[in-house]
DNA sequence: TAGGTGATCTTG
DNA sequence: AAGATCACCTAT
């Protein structure tokens, strides 16, 4: 039996709630699962960042423009927003909120749960090391997520999330988001969340 | 600390 | 049409 089979898949009501910051916190401890070409990999989410389409210059959709890249963020919550960053890295985001309200949560780090051998192979690594899934670019590579998955429903059978034991507020640390200095004062919003003391987060 | 890499956005 | 920018990662 797989470790996550005792859990249950998050449904669309989880993603369609209106408070993206709350959802970013709730996502800690949930398990992200991919089944690609019939092969399953899974990891527990240990670090996230919230992005709001309104009043947040760090969000790609904050100007309300629906481009080929930002389009999915305006769709109803529960879909994958994957984009290419710095020409190299595929970053995986979870779209939230109702149609027309463009919020998303970036998944920044995972603790490997299943399919470690396949993750290592995708990463070109020999041995298990924190670098396997600590960081938004590397975790997407380990899980096999790339821009072909743009717009996929997270209630479907390719990429989805499983519930898990919740993380108590005492065990969650909030801090400023990483790499968003261009956003001015919005860069100071404490919208990065991670599980305290967890060895798999992307930065200390 | 610097450089790679390509989509996206801004400027002229 | 060209240049700047960018939710990163790896190796010195």
């Amino acid at each position: 039996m797989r470790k996550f089979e005792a859990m249950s898949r998050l449904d669309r009501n989880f993603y369609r709630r209106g408070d993206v910051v709350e959802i970013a916190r709730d996502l800690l401890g949930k398990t992200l699962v991919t089944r690609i070409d019939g092969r399953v990999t899974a990891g527990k989410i240990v670090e996230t960042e919230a992005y709001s389409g309104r009043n947040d210059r760090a969000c790609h959709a904050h100007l309300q423009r629906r481009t080929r890249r930002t389009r999915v963020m305006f769709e109803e919550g529960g879909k994958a927003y994957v984009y290419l960053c710095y020409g190299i890295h595929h970053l995986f985001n979870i779209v939230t909120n109702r149609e027309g309200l463009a919020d998303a949560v970036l998944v920044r780090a995972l603790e490997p749960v299943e399919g470690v051998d396949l993750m290592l192979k995708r990463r070109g690594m020999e041995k298990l090391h924190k670098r396997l899934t600590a960081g938004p670019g590397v975790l997407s590579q380990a899980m096999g997520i790339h821009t072909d998955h743009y717009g996929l429903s997270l209630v479907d059978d390719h990429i989805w999330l499983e519930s898990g034991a919740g993380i108590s507020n005492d065990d969650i640390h909030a801090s400023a988001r990483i790499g968003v200095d261009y956003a001015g004062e919005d860069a100071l919003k404490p919208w990065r969340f991670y599980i305290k003391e967890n060895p798999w987060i992307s930065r200390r």
Side-chain angles (χ1 to χ4, degrees):
Chain A
M1 173 192 284
R2 293 194 194 96
K3 289 173 183 138
F4 50 81
E5 262 182 34
M7 312 173 187
S8 68
R9 188 176 302 198
L10 298 184
D11 64 20
R12 66 181 203 164
N13 294 322
F14 177 90
Y15 304 105
R16 296 181 74 180
R17 289 177 293 155
D19 186 342
V20 67
V21 175
E22 178 179 272
I23 295 175
R25 298 174 73 104
D26 289 349
L27 282 167
L28 295 177
K30 304 291 191 283
T31 302
L32 175 65
V33 188
T34 63
R35 180 185 284 125
I36 294 168
D37 297 329
R39 298 181 296 181
V40 172
T41 51
K44 183 172 90 169
I45 296 175
V46 300
E47 178 179 343
T48 60
E49 283 177 357
Y51 289 85
S52 170
R54 294 150 320 281
N55 305 315
D56 176 19
R57 284 186 51 208
C59 181
H60 292 156
H62 84 281
L63 293 176
Q64 310 306 312
R65 290 200 190 122
R66 300 175 193 226
T67 65
R68 197 195 317 286
R69 184 175 70 157
T70 62
R71 176 182 53 79
V72 75
M73 296 184 76
F74 292 89
E75 295 181 17
E76 69 170 19
K79 295 186 179 181
Y81 169 40
V82 185
Y83 76 97
L84 186 64
C85 182
Y86 297 106
I88 304 172
H89 304 105
H90 300 262
L91 268 53
F92 172 69
N93 298 255
I94 295 166
V95 174
T96 71
N97 216 328
R98 311 195 309 269
E99 185 176 350
L101 300 175
D103 296 342
V105 176
L106 172 67
V107 178
R108 286 196 56 91
L110 298 176
E111 178 176 324
V113 170
E114 180 166 329
V116 171
D117 288 346
L118 178 54
M119 291 192 201
L120 287 168
K121 188 177 174 189
R122 285 172 175 152
R123 296 273 295 116
M125 292 170 62
E126 304 265 318
K127 295 194 156 186
L128 187 54
H129 181 279
K130 183 189 131 120
R131 287 198 322 272
L132 181 65
T133 49
V138 294
L139 80 82
S140 296
Q141 186 179 24
M143 298 289 288
I145 297 171
H146 49 89
T147 47
D148 282 357
H149 305 293
Y150 180 96
L152 278 193
S153 168
L154 301 177
V155 189
D156 212 332
D157 292 327
H158 301 97
I159 305 174
W160 71 94
L161 283 88
E162 296 282 342
S163 67
I167 309 296
S168 83
N169 277 346
D170 290 345
D171 293 327
I172 297 177
H173 186 264
S175 64
R177 294 168 294 181
I178 290 175
V180 297
D181 291 347
Y182 62 90
E185 63 185 14
D186 289 334
L188 302 175
K189 291 184 193 301
W191 285 2
R192 175 190 179 214
F193 301 101
Y194 60 82
I195 300 177
K196 287 180 187 171
E197 313 291 330
N198 189 289
W200 294 92
I201 66 172
S202 67
R203 294 191 201 179
R204 281 285 138 191

